[in-house]
């Protein structure tokens, strides 16, 4: 299990590095580089729109790679999705700007972002299923939580590289070529990830399936559509929290509050460090007390914290901004530490890769793709404290709370309880 968990974690870290480095670049430089004819606000909105394309592509990737995962195995998904995302990210780093090739630049940017999202849509399902289906039942949340640490590591790596470059280079040099370096580095990381995953064995649970679904998506839509919608709605607040903190706040803090971008990145990264470190700890609670209670607690905490978080952000004070971000990340991880075990357990094994991945990535469309765009527009309409953003995030949190309330618990019965029930 340690070797399987490490390979799953490394792969998700690399793929989310690719995804996050795009989001950071969209917040900091893509507006003037690819949409120079727009006003600063319109350029930021356009850059976040290309960011959102990746989330739209992710459910399509979950369908494509979910089909492969349910028909051919979880392992091929891990290899193909990592290769696709890595190649797309390197290509973004080689893309000429609007000033060089005109309107073709933003069009190509959108296309490459779509391919990024397509690959990432397959990555999560393959990684968490390989970990969770190898794991013993009573420690399934713990072992499947390690792929969930990957996004935090990917975010820290992406923003650490951007922070180092932006500190070492002048603003002009960073905008000219420095922003490309993190995208080029994705190629090296992808090759390392492929090497790590090349020796992994196929999931034993997949090998036990005698009757594989002919068209997994058709079965999911026919038999599990309600489950897909509820899981997507439940996960929406997690995505909204993460991308409010990691993407929208960077643009808001630097453009509206005048905070140095290095300070903003440092505040966000510090909160994400805590989030990543606590993931396995919270996962142990999921094994002990169940999946659904933690999802309900995280959603409720998010609903309570959104107004304080926005108020703390609006101060522009580093320590207060960090505290606001930290509260959001704690609410986030209370849910997402258990999701990698919870979602697969909700679906039968023959359609598990498709069902879990589609639900997970549809939640990204609702909570991740729209949030930076909606938050940017709402913040423009308000004063120094964007209360409209807080109200929007609170509404998303309440939606997720209601969806989780309608889902069942899936925690396996303790060994002693299971034996007692069988003997009775």
């Amino acid at each position: 299990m340690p070797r399987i968990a490490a390979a799953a974690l490394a792969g998700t870290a690399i793929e989310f590095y690719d995804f996050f480095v795009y989001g950071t670049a969209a917040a900091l430089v893509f507006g003037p580089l690819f949409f120079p004819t727009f006003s600063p606000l319109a350029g930021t909105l356009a850059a976040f729109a290309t960011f959102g394309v990746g989330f739209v592509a992710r459910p399509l990737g979950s369908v494509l790679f979910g089909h492969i995962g349910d028909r051919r195995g979880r392992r091929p998904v891990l290899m193909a999705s990592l290769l696709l995302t890595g190649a797309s990210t390197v290509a973004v780093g080689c893309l000429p700007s609007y000033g060089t090739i005109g309107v073709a630049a933003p069009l190509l940017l959108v296309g490459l972002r779509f391919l990024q999202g397509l690959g990432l849509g397959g990555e999560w399902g393959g990684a968490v299923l390989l970990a969770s289906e190898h794991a013993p039942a009573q420690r399934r949340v713990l072992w499947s939580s390690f792929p969930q640490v990957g996004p935090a590591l990917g975010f820290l790596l992406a923003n650490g590289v951007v922070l180092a470059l932006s500190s070492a280079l002048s603003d002009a040099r960073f905008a000219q070529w420095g922003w490309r370096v993190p995208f080029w580095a994705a190629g090296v990381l992808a090759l390392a990830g492929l090497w790590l995953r090349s020796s992994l064995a196929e999931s034993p649970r997949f090998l036990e399936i005698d009757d594989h679904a002919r068209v997994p998506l058709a079965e999911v839509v026919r038999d599990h559509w309600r489950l897909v919608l509820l899981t997507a709605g439940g996960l929406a607040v997690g995505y909204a929290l993460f991308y409010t903190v990691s993407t929208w706040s960077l643009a808001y803090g630097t453009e509206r509050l005048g905070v140095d971008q290095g300070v903003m990145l440092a505040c966000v990264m510090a909160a994400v460090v805590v989030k990543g470190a606590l993931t396995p700890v919270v996962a142990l609670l999921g094994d002990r007390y169940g999946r659904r209670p933690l999802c309900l607690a995280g959603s409720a905490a998010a609903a309570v914290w959104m107004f304080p978080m926005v108020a703390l952000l609006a101060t522009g004070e580093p320590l207060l901004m960090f505290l606001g971000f930290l509260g959001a990340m704690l609410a986030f991880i209370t849910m997402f530490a258990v999701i990698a075990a919870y979602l697969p357990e909700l679906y039968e094994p023959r359609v598990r890769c498709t069902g879990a991945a589609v639900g997970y990535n549809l939640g990204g469309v609702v909570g991740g793709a729209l949030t930076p765009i909606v938050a940017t527009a709402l913040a423009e309409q308000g004063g120094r404290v964007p209360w409209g953003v807080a109200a929007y995030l609170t509404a998303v949190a309440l939606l997720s709370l209601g969806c989780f309330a309608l889902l069942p618990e899936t925690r396996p019965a303790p060994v002693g309880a299971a034996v007692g029930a069988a003997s009775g």
Side-chain angles (χ1 to χ4, degrees), residues 130-187:
L130 202 70
S132 66
E133 291 183 343
H134 273 95
Q138 303 307 317
R139 283 290 178 263
R140 187 174 293 141
V141 178
L142 173 63
W143 288 114
S144 62
S145 74
F146 283 93
Q148 295 295 81
V149 180
L153 292 178
F155 177 83
L156 294 172
L157 183 59
N159 285 278
V161 172
V162 172
L163 181 60
L165 287 166
S166 62
S167 300
L169 300 173
S170 66
D171 290 346
R173 289 187 179 274
F174 181 78
Q176 184 180 19
W177 61 267
W179 68 270
R180 298 181 184 275
V181 175
F183 290 87
W184 296 336

Side-chain angles (χ1 to χ4, degrees), residues 220 223-239 292 295-296 299 335-336 339 342-343 346-347 355-356 358-364 366 396-409:
V220 169
D223 300 330
H224 305 289
W225 62 269
R226 182 176 179 272
L227 189 56
V228 169
L229 293 179
L230 287 176
T231 53
L235 295 173
V237 66
Y239 282 102
R292 182 171 173 269
C295 290
L296 292 171
S299 301
M335 295 174 280
F336 272 58
I339 285 299
Y342 192 22
L343 259 64
L346 288 167
Y347 293 88
V358 168
Y360 184 84
N361 288 295
L362 279 177
V366 178
V396 176
L398 293 174
L399 167 68
S400 295
L401 182 64
C403 290
F404 281 128
L406 295 173
L407 287 171
E409 177 57 75

Side-chain angles (χ1 to χ4, degrees), residues 224-282:
H224 305 289
W225 62 269
R226 182 176 179 272
L227 189 56
V228 169
L229 293 179
L230 287 176
T231 53
L235 295 173
V237 66
Y239 282 102
L241 287 176
F242 195 90
Y243 289 101
T244 295
V245 171
S246 67
T247 301
W248 171 75
S249 69
L250 291 178
Y252 179 79
T254 55
E255 295 173 9
R256 290 289 301 276
L257 302 179
V259 180
D260 180 77
Q261 70 181 30
V263 173
M264 288 300 305
L265 282 171
C267 292
V268 174
M269 290 170 66
V272 174
V273 166
V274 178
K275 171 251 182 191
L278 289 180
T279 298
V281 177
V282 179

Side-chain angles (χ1 to χ4, degrees), residues 322-348:
F322 164 71
L323 291 175
F325 298 154
L326 179 62
M329 289 297 94
L330 292 177
F332 169 88
I333 203 55
T334 302
M335 295 174 280
F336 272 58
V338 303
I339 285 299
Y342 192 22
L343 259 64
E345 289 171 346
L346 288 167
Y347 293 88
E348 56 183 308

Side-chain angles (χ1 to χ4, degrees), residues 41 45 248 252 256 374-383 386 389:
L41 173 62
L45 286 170
W248 171 75
Y252 179 79
R256 290 289 301 276
V374 173
T376 299
L378 290 173
E380 187 65 19
Q381 303 303 316
V389 176

